[in-house]
Amino acid sequence: MPQILMLFENYNHPPPIKAPTPSCTSLPQPPPSPTLTPTPAAARAPAPSPHEMGDACFSTQLIDGDGVFNVSGLENFMKDARLGECGLSYAVVSIMGPQSSGKSTLLNHLFGTNFREMDAFRGRSQTTKGIWLAKAQNIEPCTLVMDLEGTDGRERGEDDTAFEKQSALFALAVSDIVLINMWCHDIGREQAANKPLLKTVFQVMMRLFSPRKTTLLFVIRDKSRTPLENLEPILREDIQKIWDAVPKPHAHKETPLSEFFDVQVVALSSYEEKEELFKQQVSDLRDRFQYSIAPGGLAGDRRGVVPASGFSFSSQQFWKVIKENKDLDLPAHKVMVATVRCEEIGNEKVGSFTSDEEWQQLEEAVQHDFVPGFGKKISSLLDRCLSEYDMEAIYFDEGVRSSKRQQLESKLLQLVNPAYQSLLGHLRTRTLEAFNESFDKALEKEGFAAAARNCTQTFLEKFDKGSEDAAIQQVNWDTSKVKDKLRRDIEAHVASVRAAKLSELCAKYEAQLTKALAEPVESLLDSASEDTWPAIRKLLQRETKTAVSGLQSAVSAFELDEATEKELLVKLEKHGRSVVESKAKEEAGRVLIRMKDRFSMLFSRDADSMPRVWTGKEDIKAITKTARSASMKLLSTMAAIRLEEDGDNIENTLSVALVDTSKPGTTDRSIQLTDPLASSSWERVGEEKTLITPVQCKNLWRQFKAETEYTVTQALAAQEANKRNNNWLPPPWALAAMAILGFNEFMTLLRNPLYLFAIFVIYLVGKAIWVQSEIGREFQHGFLPAILSLSTKFVPTVMNILKRLADEGQAPAAAPERQREMELQPKPTRNGSSYTNATSAGSSSVTTSEIGPEYSSPVAQ
């Protein structure tokens, strides 16, 4: 307390200046500090007063009296002061000193700030609590000013020095220039108020692992008449003693003070007693802060500067570490700040990129179609984004900056990659569609293989050009997978077209071969002779050779490999064989109909293909055997496929088993020991070549004989009827007997003409009844059917004859011709049928000739 009271007293009444003591030779002597002499008003620009500046300095409390860091206030300060735009071109100035020593007053006059000042009329008390921050006015470059809470204050007490040390360490870590505000009369005193402050400064400096070089500007207040040249050596000696007395780490035992601090001294007159002089001196001092970070300036030797955009985060981390009572590792802190800030800048650039309208339009457009110039546009956007990052992060640690730039570039490329892949997909689709169209046109002008080869090469080159157009400068993405997929798609399309074209060609030549074989084979099988299968083989070889030659010439443009071409040709040959085989199987299914047709043709028609008339002279048995033999040959021809010249005995087997009813020495087939048709396969004929098995042949022959038996029977019946019709007169012996025995009756008739007339009339009536009733035709159907039919016709016929005779007798003699015509018209009967006269076509079944009536066979009719 006595020291504090003495400081208050000395502040109001400075003691007389003592003679300076010799300066300490161990302390390096800098060039003499310039004497702060008044300069003409026209030559300097005085700092604006706090009242003139208002809130232009953006004064804000950075840390309150309880040590709470004002994060939001600092963020707002940086925005208002536009500190983030400064990069490394800014300086931080802070001031330390005893409480109520005029620190705020000095800063307000020196930098044009508006820190709160003590009202001397209300007593001496604590004015600044915590740490305040403001922006200096009209100082280049941007200078931040921190006003620290005074030391040795009554409010905190004698033992509460923790905040003093924390704020001092914070100021040394953040500031480029630290003003040490001290009284002139304390210089040279052993127990002066500045001694604890200097000890605090030097002690906290030791807690910095790699301290930055800070300018300590000692501001001697209320300068007496003692020249500064005499005061400065004493001050430097005291500073050196304090430095030597401060405990140091082993690494800094021999480190001189100049390694850590650039010590400079300036003196100011009393503000209360010589205000005008004070203001002039402050104005001169202000000029020294212009371009303070330039070489030769107050902070020209500074190092380890944090870029302005990271000042907020850096300050927060400094204070956090200081509050946790940890030592400060400035290099590590610099890397940490660079890491955080570069990451923040990177995130900002990612957000800026994603919200960029041009990128959004590109991303939307590339989802629907290929976008020309995509690579250049995206490269430009990426380059602009990365350039902005480089500009904002240029002052941070190079290693961290480069690492975060790579991360930013990677994130941006991850955002772009889906659009790029989509673009390549559209490019592949568009190229494939263009290839398909061009390939179809090329096939009309050149061969398949040449068209496929040329189009493939052309459109793969177009894809490469499109890929180059889509390429992004910042990355070399591999497009080989997409190109390979395009190549596979093209090859698949070419293969499908090739398969379709080959299928069309094969179908074309198969259709030609089918047309050339089907009808001729059917005709040959229908004729069924010994030369049938040799003719079919010859036809097959000729037509197959023609078709194979045509197909081989057509597929030459496809440049197929030998195996594939051979496969197609063999397939066509097999098709020809299959046509013959299928036609043979088809005809084999109709073999029974063919056999009956052939039998009917040979049995019912003569050598001139005229219908047979069974006159009784034909050998029906021989004709039947000949017709059946021909049908058997047809059956043997259709029994198996004979496309190879392999002999077989099918015809002989069928001839022996079916046509030849007996063998030499055998009178009955039933007693034969073996049946050659009792088998499911033919001898020397494979199963795949068999059309009709022996058992099936036997069944077919049995059915054939049963269905043709009626035709033979009808022929025999017609022949017998013809014979009966030709032999209607009695035998000669009967005629002789009738002539001998009936001689008397004959003579009686000759003697009596009336009998002869009656017989003549009876003959005429009988003849009329014979003709009208068609008695001859009726008896051709059999005796009993004839009797039944004539019994129904007899009475109507007799009545019709009598009626016509009566009509003729009553008709006038003037119309004999008309009556004759009416007689020729048919008359209806009771069953609805009509009769014709003896000369009508109704009795055409009976014909007269020189040798008598003849009967045609039922088949011929």
Side-chain angles (χ1 to χ4, degrees):
M1 287 299 293
Q3 291 181 349
I4 296 175
L5 293 177
M6 183 179 63
L7 286 174
F8 290 158
E9 182 179 0
N10 291 338
Y11 184 83
N12 294 319
H13 304 283
I17 303 299
K18 296 182 180 180
T21 58
S23 61
C24 180
T25 57
S26 63
L27 188 64
Q29 299 291 330
S33 300
T35 305
L36 298 180
T37 58
T39 58
R44 64 174 179 266
S49 65
H51 300 290
E52 294 174 347
M53 290 307 301
D55 293 334
C57 59
F58 314 113
S59 177
T60 183
Q61 187 175 31
L62 184 61
I63 300 173
D64 63 14
D66 296 327
V68 178
F69 197 95
N70 185 9
V71 179
S72 60
L74 180 56
E75 295 293 339
N76 294 332
F77 172 84
M78 291 186 64
K79 292 179 182 178
D80 295 338
R82 301 175 67 179
L83 183 61
E85 302 175 3
C86 297
L88 295 179
S89 182
Y90 77 103
V92 181
V93 178
S94 60
I95 189 169
M96 301 179 189
Q99 180 177 300
S100 302
S101 60
K103 299 186 298 299
S104 301
T105 303
L106 174 60
L107 294 179
N108 290 340
H109 285 82
L110 184 60
F111 298 107
T113 56
N114 59 354
F115 294 123
R116 181 184 175 189
E117 300 178 9
M118 184 190 69
D119 188 355
F121 294 99
R122 294 185 178 181
R124 307 181 70 85
S125 61
Q126 187 181 49
T127 304
T128 302
K129 294 183 178 180
I131 300 175
W132 286 74
L133 179 67
K135 178 182 178 183
Q137 302 302 311
N138 299 329
I139 298 291
E140 292 295 338
C142 176
T143 301
L144 306 183
V145 182
M146 289 196 303
D147 187 9
L148 275 64
E149 179 180 319
T151 60
D152 198 19
R154 175 176 58 85
E155 287 76 8
R156 290 194 179 272
E158 184 176 357
D159 298 326
D160 188 8
T161 60
F163 186 80
E164 294 179 6
K165 293 182 179 180
Q166 291 173 353
S167 61
L169 181 56
F170 179 77
L172 288 175
V174 173
S175 302
D176 300 306
I177 304 171
V178 178
L179 303 180
I180 306 295
N181 198 47
M182 60 183 304
W183 301 112
C184 179
H185 56 261
D186 285 339
I187 297 176
R189 290 185 178 182
E190 187 64 29
Q191 300 297 327
N194 63 337
K195 294 288 184 71
L197 177 59
L198 290 178
K199 289 181 180 180
T200 300
V201 170
F202 294 156
Q203 286 175 354
V204 298
M205 180 60 73
M206 293 299 102
R207 296 179 59 184
L208 300 178
F209 287 170
S210 179
R212 53 186 294 179
K213 192 167 184 178
T214 306
T215 299
L216 291 182
L217 181 58
F218 287 86
V219 181
I220 301 174
R221 303 293 298 275
D222 294 353
K223 177 181 175 296
S224 62
R225 289 192 298 266
T226 305
L228 181 61
E229 293 79 1
N230 296 331
L231 294 175
E232 184 175 351
I234 300 173
L235 179 59
R236 289 181 178 274
E237 184 179 358
D238 292 340
I239 294 172
Q240 184 64 45
K241 288 181 179 180
I242 297 172
W243 172 256
D244 294 337
V246 171
K248 304 179 188 65
H250 180 73
H252 298 292
K253 285 288 185 180
E254 303 298 331
T255 303
L257 178 64
S258 59
E259 184 70 22
F260 293 91
F261 298 105
D262 180 14
V263 179
Q264 298 190 28
V265 182
V266 67
L268 298 177
S269 299
S270 173
Y271 173 69
E272 294 182 350
E273 296 179 359
K274 302 176 181 179
E275 182 176 356
E276 291 300 325
L277 181 59
F278 173 83
K279 291 181 179 180
Q280 291 177 2
Q281 293 173 343
V282 168
S283 179
D284 292 338
L285 179 61
R286 173 185 176 85
D287 293 338
R288 298 181 62 184
F289 283 91
Q290 293 287 354
Y291 306 104
S292 58
I293 62 175
L298 285 176
D301 296 335
R302 67 175 184 170
R303 53 179 178 262
V305 183
V306 175
S309 60
F311 178 79
S312 174
F313 178 77
S314 176
S315 301
Q316 296 175 43
Q317 294 301 314
F318 272 138
W319 185 249
K320 179 180 179 182
V321 173
I322 292 171
K323 288 289 290 182
E324 293 174 355
N325 198 25
K326 296 180 180 179
D327 293 338
L328 289 178
D329 188 351
L330 291 185
H333 177 80
K334 180 181 178 181
V335 172
M336 179 192 65
V337 173
T339 301
V340 174
R341 273 303 298 153
C342 289
E343 189 169 347
E344 289 178 352
I345 295 172
N347 294 335
E348 291 174 1
K349 297 310 164 188
V350 171
S352 174
F353 181 85
T354 55
S355 61
D356 186 88
E357 184 176 354
E358 185 178 358
W359 157 247
Q360 292 176 352
Q361 292 176 354
L362 281 174
E363 187 180 25
E364 178 67 21
V366 82
Q367 299 300 322
H368 303 91
D369 198 3
F370 178 79
V371 178
F374 177 84
K376 292 183 179 179
K377 295 176 182 178
I378 291 297
S379 298
S380 176
L381 290 175
L382 293 175
D383 186 63
R384 183 175 65 190
C385 186
L386 293 174
S387 297
E388 292 176 356
Y389 169 85
D390 291 337
M391 291 179 62
E392 295 188 27
I394 189 172
Y395 302 113
F396 290 102
D397 182 79
E398 182 179 359
V400 175
R401 183 176 72 244
S402 300
S403 175
K404 294 302 177 181
R405 190 184 193 278
Q406 293 178 359
Q407 293 181 11
L408 171 61
E409 186 175 0
S410 176
K411 290 181 180 179
L412 293 176
L413 292 176
Q414 288 178 2
L415 290 174
V416 172
N417 185 262
Y420 178 78
Q421 296 299 330
S422 178
L423 181 78
L424 289 182
H426 291 307
L427 176 61
R428 179 184 61 80
T429 302
R430 172 180 287 193
T431 306
L432 181 61
E433 292 175 353
F435 170 83
N436 296 344
E437 182 178 354
S438 178
F439 182 56
D440 293 339
K441 294 180 180 178
L443 289 177
E444 300 175 359
K445 302 178 182 178
E446 53 185 333
F448 185 90
R453 184 167 50 252
N454 296 335
C455 289
T456 300
Q457 181 178 359
T458 300
F459 284 91
L460 286 178
E461 291 176 355
K462 287 186 177 181
F463 177 82
D464 291 337
K465 292 181 180 178
S467 299
E468 292 176 1
D469 180 71
I472 299 173
Q473 297 177 358
Q474 288 77 8
V475 66
N476 185 22
W477 277 327
D478 185 16
T479 60
S480 60
K481 292 184 178 180
V482 181
K483 184 177 180 180
D484 290 342
K485 191 176 188 309
L486 173 62
R487 190 190 303 275
R488 291 194 299 270
D489 292 341
I490 290 176
E491 291 175 353
H493 179 73
V494 170
S496 65
V497 174
R498 181 190 295 110
K501 294 292 183 182
L502 290 176
S503 178
E504 291 178 3
L505 285 175
C506 291
K508 174 184 175 182
Y509 284 95
E510 286 176 359
Q512 292 180 0
L513 187 58
T514 301
K515 184 177 180 181
L517 291 175
E519 294 182 358
V521 169
E522 183 178 356
S523 177
L524 289 172
L525 291 174
D526 188 28
S527 63
S529 63
E530 295 179 355
D531 298 331
T532 295
W533 283 108
I536 290 176
R537 287 196 296 269
K538 185 177 180 181
L539 173 68
L540 177 62
Q541 291 175 358
R542 183 180 70 250
E543 297 299 334
T544 301
K545 183 178 180 181
T546 302
V548 167
S549 177
L551 179 61
Q552 188 174 16
S553 176
V555 301
S556 61
F558 290 83
E559 298 181 6
L560 302 175
D561 57 273
E562 185 177 355
T564 304
E565 183 176 348
K566 184 177 180 180
E567 181 182 356
L568 293 177
L569 300 180
V570 170
K571 181 181 177 182
L572 183 60
E573 293 176 355
K574 289 182 178 179
H575 176 75
R577 293 178 63 90
S578 67
V579 170
V580 175
E581 291 175 356
S582 62
K583 185 57 66 174
K585 291 178 182 179
E586 181 181 344
E587 293 299 319
R590 297 197 296 262
V591 66
L592 182 60
I593 298 174
R594 299 288 189 189
M595 291 169 64
K596 291 191 295 183
D597 290 344
R598 175 165 293 192
F599 177 85
S600 177
M601 182 183 66
L602 295 177
F603 185 79
S604 301
R605 295 182 180 273
D606 57 17
D608 297 329
S609 297
M610 298 298 293
R612 290 183 186 275
V613 179
W614 303 108
T615 62
K617 299 179 181 181
E618 295 83 3
D619 188 357
I620 294 180
K621 183 177 181 181
I623 294 173
T624 301
K625 184 175 181 181
T626 301
R628 287 180 175 175
S629 297
S631 299
M632 185 274 298
K633 288 184 178 180
L634 174 63
L635 180 61
S636 67
T637 301
M638 300 302 302
I641 298 173
R642 300 174 178 87
L643 294 180
E644 286 80 17
E645 297 180 2
D646 297 335
D648 59 66
N649 57 354
I650 296 177
E651 185 176 355
N652 295 334
T653 303
L654 291 177
S655 178
V656 171
L658 301 177
V659 179
D660 297 339
T661 57
S662 64
K663 293 183 179 180
T666 304
T667 59
D668 191 354
R669 291 186 69 239
S670 61
I671 64 175
Q672 291 182 12
L673 297 178
T674 60
D675 184 0
L677 298 182
S679 175
S680 61
S681 61
W682 299 103
E683 185 179 356
R684 292 185 296 174
V685 177
E687 182 179 356
E688 69 280 357
K689 298 180 181 179
T690 302
L691 297 176
I692 306 173
T693 63
V695 175
Q696 291 174 339
C697 287
K698 185 176 181 180
N699 294 333
L700 286 171
W701 187 258
R702 185 183 297 112
Q703 185 178 355
F704 165 75
K705 288 184 65 177
E707 294 182 3
T708 58
E709 193 70 31
Y710 177 75
T711 303
V712 177
T713 303
Q714 289 295 317
L716 292 173
Q719 194 178 50
E720 290 296 328
N722 191 18
K723 288 180 180 180
R724 287 195 301 269
N725 290 335
N726 291 335
N727 299 324
W728 61 276
L729 292 177
W733 60 268
L735 293 176
M738 289 175 62
I740 296 172
L741 295 175
F743 180 78
N744 295 330
E745 287 78 5
F746 180 71
M747 293 303 294
T748 302
L749 290 176
L750 292 177
R751 292 188 186 101
N752 191 354
L754 183 61
Y755 288 154
L756 193 60
F757 177 75
I759 292 173
F760 180 72
V761 171
I762 291 172
Y763 170 75
L764 292 177
V765 173
K767 182 65 174 179
I769 293 174
W770 180 280
V771 172
Q772 289 291 329
S773 300
E774 297 180 344
I775 294 175
R777 174 175 291 182
E778 294 293 340
F779 274 97
Q780 289 180 357
H781 298 92
F783 179 78
L784 184 60
I787 295 299
L788 293 176
S789 177
L790 291 175
S791 65
T792 59
K793 291 182 179 181
F794 181 76
V795 175
T797 302
V798 173
M799 294 299 294
N800 188 27
I801 292 173
L802 292 177
K803 183 179 179 181
R804 294 168 90 177
L805 290 175
D807 292 340
E808 288 179 357
Q810 296 178 1
E817 294 296 332
R818 180 182 178 189
Q819 183 67 28
R820 182 173 181 85
E821 291 177 357
M822 292 179 63
E823 289 177 355
L824 295 176
Q825 294 179 356
K827 301 297 181 178
T829 62
R830 61 184 178 181
N831 60 355
S833 63
S834 60
Y835 293 93
T836 61
N837 58 10
T839 62
S840 67
S843 60
S844 61
S845 61
V846 181
T847 60
T848 59
S849 64
E850 295 179 355
I851 61 175
E854 295 181 355
Y855 296 89
S856 61
S857 67
V859 176
Q861 293 173 4

